[in-house]
Amino acid sequence: MNASLDALLNPRSVAIIGASNVPARIGGRPIHNLIAAGFQGHIYPVNPKYAEVQGLPAFRNIADIPGPVDCAIVAVPAIDLVETMRACAGAGVRSAVVFTSGLAEMGEQGAETQRLIATIARDAGMRIVGPNCLGVAVPGKQWYGTFASYPAMKLMRSGSLGIISQSGAYGSHLYMVAQSRGLGVSHWVTTGNEADVDVAEVIEYYAGRPEIKVIAAYAEGVRDMAAMKRALAAAHSARKPVIFMKVGQSTVGAAAAASHTASLAGADALYGALFAQYGVYRASTTEEILDVAYACQFGEFPKGRRVCLQSISGGVGVLMSDAAEAAGLQLPALPEPVQQRISQLIPFAGTRNPVDFTGKALAEPALIEEISDLAIGSGNYDSYVIYMASVASSPLTRDAVAAVYERVRQKHGQQSLMLSLIMATPEDKAYYERLGMPCFEDPSLAVRAMGALSHFGEAFERKLPSQERQRPAGALDLPSAPIDEYQAKKILASWGIPVAEDRLVRSRAEASAAWSGINGAVAMKIVAAEILHKTEMGGVILNVSSADAAAQAYDTLMQRVRTAYPDVSNVAVLVTPMIKGGIETVLGVMNDPTFGPAVMFGLGGILVEVLHDVTFRLAPFDEKEARRMIDEIQGRAVLDGVRGAAASDVDALASALSRLSFFAAENAGKLASVDVNPFLLLPNGAVALDALIIPKS
Amino acid sequence: MNASLDALLNPRSVAIIGASNVPARIGGRPIHNLIAAGFQGHIYPVNPKYAEVQGLPAFRNIADIPGPVDCAIVAVPAIDLVETMRACAGAGVRSAVVFTSGLAEMGEQGAETQRLIATIARDAGMRIVGPNCLGVAVPGKQWYGTFASYPAMKLMRSGSLGIISQSGAYGSHLYMVAQSRGLGVSHWVTTGNEADVDVAEVIEYYAGRPEIKVIAAYAEGVRDMAAMKRALAAAHSARKPVIFMKVGQSTVGAAAAASHTASLAGADALYGALFAQYGVYRASTTEEILDVAYACQFGEFPKGRRVCLQSISGGVGVLMSDAAEAAGLQLPALPEPVQQRISQLIPFAGTRNPVDFTGKALAEPALIEEISDLAIGSGNYDSYVIYMASVASSPLTRDAVAAVYERVRQKHGQQSLMLSLIMATPEDKAYYERLGMPCFEDPSLAVRAMGALSHFGEAFERKLPSQERQRPAGALDLPSAPIDEYQAKKILASWGIPVAEDRLVRSRAEASAAWSGINGAVAMKIVAAEILHKTEMGGVILNVSSADAAAQAYDTLMQRVRTAYPDVSNVAVLVTPMIKGGIETVLGVMNDPTFGPAVMFGLGGILVEVLHDVTFRLAPFDEKEARRMIDEIQGRAVLDGVRGAAASDVDALASALSRLSFFAAENAGKLASVDVNPFLLLPNGAVALDALIIPKS
């Protein structure tokens, strides 16, 4: 796979089909860019109308080219596309970048044409990017396979960022803003309609390139989730941060995305799960992508979220504290002795964290050094963000402070240090950047970027999601027929999920006996696979408090069934103990066409109904991942006990979620959905009070 | 008040006490800046050591100055401050900017000194800014009463933004970033320790200045809430947007703020209430302040939140949709006929809203004009944000598109239009800015700024908060003694808040009779002002279902009281009907030392306990404001009915909240807090099932 992307991204010979003599035209720009950049490989314009194009000998058709062609840029109208692709295949072209639009994005006829050229290419072993894409570029190789128009044909600055975007226009926007911020790009690929090469494959390719340190991706939807998981796993293994802008978080946005790419976008929440499990950072704006990419370039990822904020201004210290909380960073206090020492050094400094070392420290940089030593020496922190105002505005202070951090580095080795400073030219910032310190003008955005670095640091410390599924001895699989509550609970119990101690009864006598066996208040419910809405038809009777009452309740329930569902046979009644107290939660499984089975968790009642306070993970996952999932809900504190209630058994919950994921993964082909509502958490243990499993029809 | 700020902000004669010959020194920089700027008034250096300072004749002391002094810049050590201020007072100096530090921020001794100079100044009718401040500046008058150091002594660009900051360093940071973004500043004030002039007074002053169009404020706490309300009301009346960075939103931030300013920060949520009621926009980062300030300069504030997004890139359209939802903007669809027309014009354009007019429109600008006409003509929108990529990068496209919007303006008059474009120099942007169109590079941030403009537009359409308090006939006021539940409910009922139909009983017989009068399930509760935690002591019995049971319950309750509280006399029992269904909410009043009484609302149970899903408003407020408050809670949808439950009577809720605010405002001097939990909402009506009023001790 990767070898064949080499032809696309590191070609030694390029043909431009539909070549134009006019540099501004779609078929002219690539040639102009390649020449201007000094591309070292062969450039073969193809156009029967010309003998020469932009000073290069032109060819009537692809077959006339005397040597091998690694990559053909295809800039022909849709009506000529099939013939062109056949010609390329016939000539042994190794890859093609297809600008041509009017294909799948147009409707079914275009989609048919697109499938045809995909087949032609696949059969010939030829890789395709596009169609309907803006092309590719690798500045370090002077490779510009794109018709994107840059003012004055400015060429990309080379660097260590790999950009992959489904949208050509957005990819262009992102790269232009990156360039204006001084961020160099190593590889730039836009995949358009993704007839062949898709975002996942490019991410995997980038993960393997030594010159790429950071990957930024833009996508509206993902077609091949298995390929995407492999790609994200490769990036994680290579410790390459992936910054992902998956758009369509809002309802209108998702609808717009669906219409734009003509692909299934997939539930946005499941992208959240994917990213959480693979350590991907999700960005919401272009600025955020580039802030984080810039910070990532320095390759320093704090292993935890404890940050020490230091500032020349108390006010900015407060501002950064607010930003730290928003970014999910923690602000443990400096040890008391350290705080006292700082007070001695700088009277009326703020000392807790944030440290306000006041303007005095700029006048006496040795104070900054001592505070750095003390903070790092405390061992309390994973990272440090320091607001230095206009320290770089005078060479004197700029150099003095740079010397401080040089010594700090020598003494303490690699630390995650970041500066916020204003009025600093790129040259000024270089004084600190060469020490591995990212420099941000805005202190709030600096802290946000440190949050992202911490996200990656924690992610790299975690193992990759295991695809392991533990199948307990005796675990039951799904039948294909509809399943009633009793059967559903049995199946879940066989996978290790705790369920209520149900007894299935089929007569008054059995009902009484079941009650006596439990000897406490019970609930009695109709059980029949066809009857989904028991409560609404009166199919549930609570608080049955004696054997006689149980017999009575049995009769009542059966009567109601006969009235409401005269045609349903094989109806039984479940007798189950009523449990006092506990916290109601909801567990579920959805089987998404794109993502496969995903497990959902939320607190019960209003929190699920109205606030949608739920969290997802893609199956399968282990208990460690389940705990992370549990910690994401807004109402998390409920599980620690409120209003004097005891804390819930979170271990039991994590175990159930993980085992549910194993069940779902093993039965992915047969499962539509699972609902366990409520899943009751107790101080010791947990129990599913209801269960609904719907097989695929 | 305002007239005396004129001396501080538009002085015709300035003295610098502690004047230095060295331009870099604190006592030297103001003189250097004034001379370099070409200040037209008199400049009088005061320092007994010199005959001349920076080329100007110097004076031994303030009394020696031959003419009046509008403003004295005081740059003396703390130990000389009192004497200096006495001398200024004696010399009839009209105002002073006091740089001197080491006062209230140091501790009690410094605070004592600060109070002394405040008294000296007040007695002499002299206004003070500071002490411990960075000073003031009014570039348009060449007035630089500040020792802030700017590289190469660069002078501020004049403009229409008024900056007021408690923190000198942050004020400096903000102004420097504003300058680098090309935003001119009209007035710049830092108030430091606020011995006299505070943030509120400066906001009110700014509201009255014709040259100031936008106000940006930074504060860690507010001392005089009445003055702040007056100031914000003045700004609102003058239609001047106030962008407020109130820091300390996070727990650590609030603690840091409290230590930094040595003032009571006040509950952060109450700042949220203040800002909501006065239409203030709360910013979280420097970038956000300046994005919004920039957009506000154009003076165009959409009256509503319906935005139309248009884009040259489908992907960016999706991105902007996500940003719109985050900014609280709505995206109603274009009318069907308009969508069809757009499809005809541009095949495969996105048409719903966002409109993806593709690259085709850049090649044919007339298409952009027609789409603008159609969108504006539909009447569906209050604002429009258009992503135009690199349209300005070529003069041809830049001018063609500018001409389009010129015609659009001529045809449709004032509309809220905003562009996002990249690769645009300030000169390029001017082509659109002169048409009243703000230009942002980042499309997500453009949409956020439009959200801010819409916030102000809606706020300006609303009336100012009324201070009116409606006092119903027969309304009861607070006694000073502790109040039991029965009395509390009577008081609230007298103010028009619906309460449960309670009966107070003092014997078995009365209990039975009360039950018979209600003739349904009742709850019975101990009533005694001293007993606050009834439930914990078994002082509540629910589901009492007969007259006999009522008599029994009475005995049980009285027995429990005698056991748990043998010394409490005058205990009665409340008999109250149990009400089925309904939604539990929580109403409350807190009497904050800074803000005065504030009303709280939240949904009951877990939502209040764990999620803190509550909202506040400062008392008093009307029902319209109450409705806005209700709409702010996350769980709002619950009130519209979920899981088949009927919708709640939101009118009754709004009425109760407003009346509670009138009660709180009228009893502010005597009230500590009120808790109505639960306040039960029904499909028709609402009822307080419990009430606790705690008077000030």
Side-chain angles (χ1 to χ4, degrees), chain B residues 171-182:
Chain B
S172 200
H173 174 99
L174 179 60
Y175 132 75
M176 279 196 251
V177 182
Q179 178 134 297
S180 72
R181 288 180 57 152

Side-chain angles (χ1 to χ4, degrees), chain A residues 1-6 8-10 97 127 129 134-141 143 145 156 159-167 171-172 174-175 184-192 194 197-218 227-228 230-244 289 293:
Chain A
M1 214 50 121
N2 279 349
S4 44
L5 284 199
D6 280 340
L8 266 165
L9 296 176
N10 189 16
V97 174
R127 302 307 309 274
V129 172
L134 212 57
V136 309
V138 183
K141 304 263 184 236
W143 167 217
M156 289 181 173
S160 64
L161 172 62
I163 291 178
I164 167 59
S165 171
Q166 280 176 344
S167 158
S172 200
L174 180 59
Y175 132 75
V185 173
S186 171
H187 287 63
W188 181 82
V189 175
T190 63
T191 49
E194 298 193 338
V197 174
D198 63 8
V199 173
E201 184 174 1
V202 177
I203 289 176
E204 190 163 9
Y205 180 83
Y206 284 177
R209 300 299 314 172
E211 62 271 41
I212 294 179
K213 288 189 181 175
V214 186
I215 299 168
Y218 168 98
M228 181 57 83
R230 276 197 313 271
L232 296 178
H236 179 280
S237 298
R239 291 181 69 95
K240 296 203 181 176
V242 177
I243 306 160
F244 214 115
I289 291 177

Side-chain angles (χ1 to χ4, degrees), chain B residues 230-242:
Chain B
R230 275 197 313 271
L232 297 178
H236 179 279
S237 299
R239 291 181 69 94
K240 297 205 180 173
V242 177

Side-chain angles (χ1 to χ4, degrees), chain B residues 206-507:
Chain B
Y206 284 177
R209 301 297 315 172
E211 62 272 40
I212 294 179
K213 286 191 187 174
V214 186
I215 300 167
Y218 169 100
E220 296 170 27
V222 171
R223 291 158 200 271
D224 184 344
M225 196 48 67
M228 181 57 82
K229 287 178 179 176
R230 275 197 313 271
L232 297 178
H236 179 279
S237 299
R239 291 181 69 94
K240 297 205 180 173
V242 177
I243 307 159
F244 213 116
M245 181 182 279
K246 158 63 182 67
V247 291
Q249 288 175 277
S250 62
T251 315
V252 175
S259 64
H260 182 233
T261 57
S263 78
L264 267 177
D268 193 75
L270 299 187
Y271 281 96
L274 175 73
F275 296 156
Q277 286 169 277
Y278 286 86
V280 172
Y281 182 90
R282 184 171 193 171
S284 302
T285 68
T286 306
E287 173 190 67
E288 188 177 11
I289 292 178
L290 297 175
D291 278 355
V292 175
Y294 164 73
C296 283
Q297 282 183 141
F298 293 84
E300 189 61 49
F301 304 104
K303 292 184 171 49
R305 295 187 164 271
R306 304 167 306 163
V307 67
C308 179
L309 303 175
Q310 302 168 21
S311 172
I312 202 175
S313 152
V316 173
V318 180
L319 185 57
M320 292 200 291
S321 302
D322 290 347
E325 184 170 281
L329 294 170
Q330 297 143 15
L331 290 167
L334 278 163
E336 271 306 317
V338 171
Q339 295 197 42
Q340 281 161 27
R341 175 63 184 150
I342 295 175
S343 284
Q344 285 168 359
L345 288 171
I346 306 174
F348 314 104
T351 65
R352 181 209 174 278
N353 181 19
V355 175
D356 170 13
F357 45 59
T358 81
K360 187 169 191 240
L362 261 198
E364 299 174 42
L367 295 171
I368 298 172
E369 187 168 346
E370 181 156 3
I371 289 171
S372 298
D373 289 340
L374 288 166
I376 296 172
S378 76
N380 276 12
Y381 307 101
D382 305 295
S383 63
Y384 311 79
V385 182
I386 306 111
Y387 172 70
M388 280 294 199
S390 53
V391 67
S393 60
S394 131
L396 197 69
T397 45
R398 177 196 66 196
D399 298 350
V401 171
V404 161
Y405 287 110
E406 180 122 44
R407 286 192 295 276
V408 166
R409 284 251 181 249
Q410 281 161 8
K411 277 182 279 187
H412 303 282
Q414 273 306 82
Q415 296 289 331
S416 279
L417 296 158
M418 182 186 284
L419 283 188
S420 172
L421 60 169
I422 52 181
M423 319 293 295
T425 63
E427 294 71 35
D428 292 329
K429 289 199 268 190
Y431 276 77
Y432 304 100
E433 289 173 334
R434 66 179 173 75
L435 297 171
M437 302 176 76
C439 298
F440 284 87
E441 182 182 70
D442 189 308
S444 311
L445 300 183
V447 172
R448 177 178 71 175
M450 189 57 93
L453 294 179
S454 307
H455 162 99
F456 286 121
E458 282 192 331
F460 294 151
E461 290 298 295
R462 289 197 299 270
K463 288 210 289 268
L464 281 172
S466 159
Q467 294 307 302
E468 177 193 317
R469 312 157 182 190
Q470 292 173 15
R471 192 195 170 85
L476 300 170
D477 282 324
L478 272 189
S480 35
I483 304 161
D484 64 39
E485 179 181 343
Y486 187 70
Q487 290 169 301
K489 280 171 167 169
K490 278 226 157 330
I491 292 171
L492 294 179
S494 77
W495 282 83
I497 294 155
V499 303
E501 185 197 330
D502 291 348
R503 293 143 198 260
L504 201 64
V505 302
R506 295 179 186 282
S507 71

Side-chain angles (χ1 to χ4, degrees), chain A residues 76-382:
Chain A
V76 303
I79 200 160
D80 299 328
L81 187 58
V82 173
E83 186 185 329
T84 302
M85 297 306 290
R86 285 209 168 103
C88 286
V93 169
R94 295 180 61 206
S95 69
V97 174
V98 184
F99 295 161
T100 307
S101 64
L103 297 160
E105 78 279 11
M106 276 188 77
E108 188 44 39
Q109 194 171 344
E112 183 56 43
T113 305
Q114 186 169 309
R115 281 191 287 271
L116 182 50
I117 65 160
T119 303
I120 290 166
R122 189 172 49 248
D123 290 347
M126 175 170 71
R127 302 307 309 274
I128 308 180
V129 172
N132 188 33
C133 75
L134 212 57
V136 309
V138 183
K141 304 263 184 236
Q142 299 84 45
W143 167 217
Y144 290 87
T146 173
F147 69 92
S149 63
Y150 309 122
M153 300 297 176
K154 262 200 203 128
L155 302 169
M156 289 181 173
R157 175 184 298 116
S158 189
S160 64
L161 172 62
I163 291 178
I164 167 59
S165 171
Q166 280 176 344
S167 158
Y170 185 72
S172 200
H173 174 99
L174 180 59
Y175 132 75
M176 280 196 251
V177 181
Q179 178 135 295
S180 71
R181 289 180 57 153
L183 278 169
V185 173
S186 171
H187 287 63
W188 181 82
V189 175
T190 63
T191 49
N193 290 7
E194 298 193 338
D196 173 16
V197 174
D198 63 8
V199 173
E201 184 174 1
V202 177
I203 289 176
E204 190 163 9
Y205 180 83
Y206 284 177
R209 300 299 314 172
E211 62 271 41
I212 294 179
K213 288 189 181 175
V214 186
I215 299 168
Y218 168 98
E220 295 170 26
V222 170
R223 292 158 200 268
D224 184 343
M225 196 48 67
M228 181 57 83
K229 287 178 179 176
R230 276 197 313 271
L232 296 178
H236 179 280
S237 298
R239 291 181 69 95
K240 296 203 181 176
V242 177
I243 306 160
F244 214 115
M245 182 183 278
K246 160 63 183 66
V247 291
Q249 288 174 277
S250 61
T251 314
V252 175
S259 63
H260 182 233
T261 56
S263 79
L264 269 177
D268 192 76
L270 299 186
Y271 280 97
L274 175 74
F275 295 155
Q277 286 168 278
Y278 286 86
V280 173
Y281 182 89
R282 185 172 192 170
S284 301
T285 68
T286 306
E287 172 190 67
E288 188 177 12
I289 291 177
L290 297 175
D291 278 355
V292 176
Y294 163 71
C296 283
Q297 281 183 142
F298 293 84
E300 188 61 48
F301 303 103
K303 293 183 169 52
R305 294 188 164 271
R306 304 166 305 164
V307 67
C308 179
L309 303 175
Q310 302 168 20
S311 171
I312 201 175
S313 153
V316 172
V318 180
L319 186 57
M320 292 199 293
S321 302
D322 289 347
E325 183 169 283
L329 294 170
Q330 297 144 16
L331 290 168
L334 278 162
E336 273 304 319
V338 171
Q339 294 197 42
Q340 282 163 26
R341 175 65 184 148
I342 295 174
S343 283
Q344 284 169 358
L345 289 171
I346 306 174
F348 314 103
T351 65
R352 181 209 174 279
N353 182 18
V355 174
D356 169 13
F357 47 57
T358 79
K360 187 171 191 235
L362 262 197
E364 298 175 41
L367 294 172
I368 297 172
E369 187 167 346
E370 183 158 0
I371 289 171
S372 299
D373 289 339
L374 289 166
I376 296 171
S378 76
N380 276 11
Y381 307 101
D382 305 296

